[in-house]
Amino acid sequence: MYICRMTEKILILDFGSQFTQLIARCVREANVYCEIIPYNKPFVIDSTLKGIILSGSPFSVNDAAPPIVDVAALAVQVPVLGVCYGAQLTAKQLGGRVDKSNKREYGRAILTIAGQDALLQGLPPDSHVWMSHSDSIAALPEGFEVLATTSSIPVAAFRRASGNGFPLYGLQFHPEVHHSAEGKKIISNFLINVCGCTQNFTPNAFIAETIENLKKQIGDAKVIMGLSGGVDSTVAATLISRAIGKNLYGIFVDNGLLRKGEFEQVLDIYKQLDLNVTGIDAKQLFYDALAGKTDPEAKRKTIGGLFIDVFQQEAAKIEDASFLGQGTIYPDVIESISVHGPSATIKSHHNVGGLPATMKLSLVEPLRSLFKDEVRKVGLALGIPHDLLFRHPFPGPGLAIRILGEVTEEKVTLLQDADDLYTKALKETGLYDKVWQAGTILLPVKSVGVMGDERTYEFTVALRAVTSVDGMTADWAHLPYEFLADISNNIINHVPGINRVVYDISSKPPATIEWE
């Protein structure tokens, strides 16, 4: 399977920090390609490797068996930057001392620059940084010097001032988090001033290299791909199509659980993009299979299993196919790799968990090295419509998990109509792009209402809107009261069968974004 490797890259060695992906995102935002690998995974240092960043860790360097790498050996070959645990490991291995702090330092601190250096170029004398550690560097190794301090710790940033090898730095704080005001500037300084990166990792460069490599990987073979109308699968399919044309065979299954009008709209977009896609109307199959099922996990398994059956039936009609295309992105890959101790596998993602045994196909995953925001940038460069690329996340099982209880065609229609009004109202008022995800949930209860002189007994829907950065945590969106009042009236007046609208003000955690 092909992974993009530009002419220059940064390697991030992961010691299990919860912030490791944020380091990678900061590097990518500077248009420099990087990869995250477990600290104990072998790797080759070649001419494309411009530098190495050592991540933080929940471990202490003073543990009986801490995760380690030979920092000195790395710094003989490329510039190295240690972050938090990485900085402490650097100090201890080269002869310094790391002690337990008098108290755990967590949260904001003021960084005061003590010495000018390429790493801190352009920073103000004082700036906010984010600390998260229980150990502190008590003494630097010989030949090292302090670059910055805080009121609590004497060594907040340091460098090797003398000795053989490439530049070697350590930061006791986390520059990668939002709360470190000049953090991105520090990382950018390391990439450009210290490592000499030319910042050539751009959407157009990625597209050109990926298409060329896809041509080499696939040749004249056929690729089958299941499409959903989502961002990742659409961008991946467009890249593959640019490489092999009509030898890509897309299959888009309508499971009856999509948003209102979505099947037809997405097929029209695929036609505009000149993708070779077959639409399969399987709504009734899914409705029949879901009849009587109320348990969320049972619904998920039913939908997933039936999708594979329908997909395989259609795929079997394509003779001599050799590859299966997938929209796997970098977080899927990272979350499916277990790092020693702290980064136990978060989930086994469907895109990296293997294929059905009956499908003897090799994988082709052109987005495997990209984060979600990078996928969108590539999509824009490919000419994919903005509305598709920036749609809110939508659950794989579709509206089935936004209908609490049994799924029926009647309930799906109710929810589609209500959700369509909600989505349109968010867009018309400019609120859509201000929230991470919004959706409507059909509750399994009816309540009494009054319309005109008549008594009603109809369904209730809950509106959900959250703000988030990555979906790992989320806060409920504080939508204006006037908006909520208007959309409530609109849904009740225009969707027969619904007479009550409520708004979900739960955050994640303790709640989840979806209700099931």
Side-chain angles (χ1 to χ4, degrees), residues 2 4 6 201-214 235 238-239 242-243 370 377-383:
Y2 168 65
C4 174
M6 306 300 290
F201 186 58
T202 63
N204 286 331
F206 175 85
I207 290 169
E209 181 184 341
T210 300
I211 290 175
E212 186 63 29
N213 280 277
L214 286 170
V235 175
T238 304
L239 283 167
R242 296 283 175 91
L370 297 188
K377 291 176 183 177
V378 168
L380 288 174
L382 288 167

Side-chain angles (χ1 to χ4, degrees), residues 77-354:
Q77 303 175 81
V78 291
V80 175
L81 171 65
V83 174
C84 199
Y85 177 89
Q88 295 164 359
L89 180 65
T90 299
K92 183 173 181 178
Q93 278 196 351
L94 278 75
R97 193 175 86 249
V98 177
D99 293 338
K100 196 76 173 177
S101 301
N102 293 329
K103 65 176 182 178
R104 177 177 171 83
E105 188 173 31
Y106 183 85
R108 285 186 175 87
I110 299 296
L111 184 76
T112 300
I113 295 177
Q116 293 300 314
D117 184 83
L119 185 70
L120 304 179
Q121 182 178 316
L123 267 68
D126 299 294
S127 62
H128 284 283
V129 294
W130 186 261
M131 295 287 185
S132 179
H133 61 94
S134 55
D135 292 340
S136 293
I137 299 168
L140 284 174
E142 184 178 349
F144 282 70
E145 64 182 5
V146 175
L147 292 177
T149 65
T150 73
S151 59
S152 300
I153 55 174
V155 182
F158 65 87
R159 70 174 180 184
R160 181 169 59 185
S162 61
N164 297 325
F166 285 84
L168 177 56
Y169 291 93
L171 302 174
Q172 179 65 83
F173 57 92
H174 286 275
E176 68 273 23
V177 303
H178 173 73
H179 303 294
S180 291
E182 302 295 332
K184 289 185 179 180
K185 177 64 175 175
I186 294 172
I187 291 176
S188 178
N189 283 342
F190 177 71
L191 300 174
I192 300 168
N193 298 343
V194 178
C195 299
C197 294
T198 59
Q199 301 174 281
N200 67 353
F201 186 58
T202 63
N204 286 331
F206 175 85
I207 290 169
E209 181 184 341
T210 300
I211 290 175
E212 186 63 29
N213 280 277
L214 286 170
K215 289 178 179 178
K216 294 176 183 177
Q217 179 188 5
I218 301 168
D220 296 327
K222 295 178 182 178
V223 177
I224 299 173
M225 187 167 185
L227 298 174
S228 65
V231 175
D232 303 334
S233 64
T234 300
V235 175
T238 304
L239 283 167
I240 296 171
S241 178
R242 296 283 175 91
I244 64 171
K246 299 302 180 183
N247 273 353
L248 169 67
Y249 293 80
I251 299 172
F252 182 28
V253 178
D254 183 0
N255 59 11
L257 305 166
L258 304 173
R259 287 165 281 208
K260 184 175 181 178
E262 183 172 16
F263 185 62
E264 295 76 17
Q265 293 166 9
V266 170
L267 282 177
D268 184 60
I269 290 174
Y270 287 160
K271 185 176 180 180
Q272 295 174 34
L273 294 171
D274 198 28
L275 297 181
N276 180 23
V277 179
T278 300
I280 307 299
D281 183 353
K283 292 192 291 290
Q284 200 58 51
L285 283 175
F286 283 85
Y287 293 150
D288 292 343
L290 287 167
K293 293 182 172 61
T294 58
D295 178 72
E297 191 61 21
K299 291 193 288 186
R300 288 177 182 272
K301 288 181 177 178
T302 298
I303 294 165
L306 186 54
F307 172 81
I308 290 175
D309 291 342
V310 173
F311 180 80
Q312 287 185 294
Q313 288 174 15
E314 293 302 317
K317 299 175 184 178
I318 303 167
E319 298 180 355
D320 302 322
S322 302
F323 292 90
L324 179 71
Q326 289 194 330
T328 309
I329 63 175
Y330 201 36
D332 302 334
V333 178
I334 297 169
E335 291 177 357
S336 300
I337 297 174
S338 178
V339 178
H340 172 73
S343 292
T345 302
I346 298 171
K347 65 180 178 179
S348 179
H349 191 275
H350 68 280
N351 278 347
V352 292

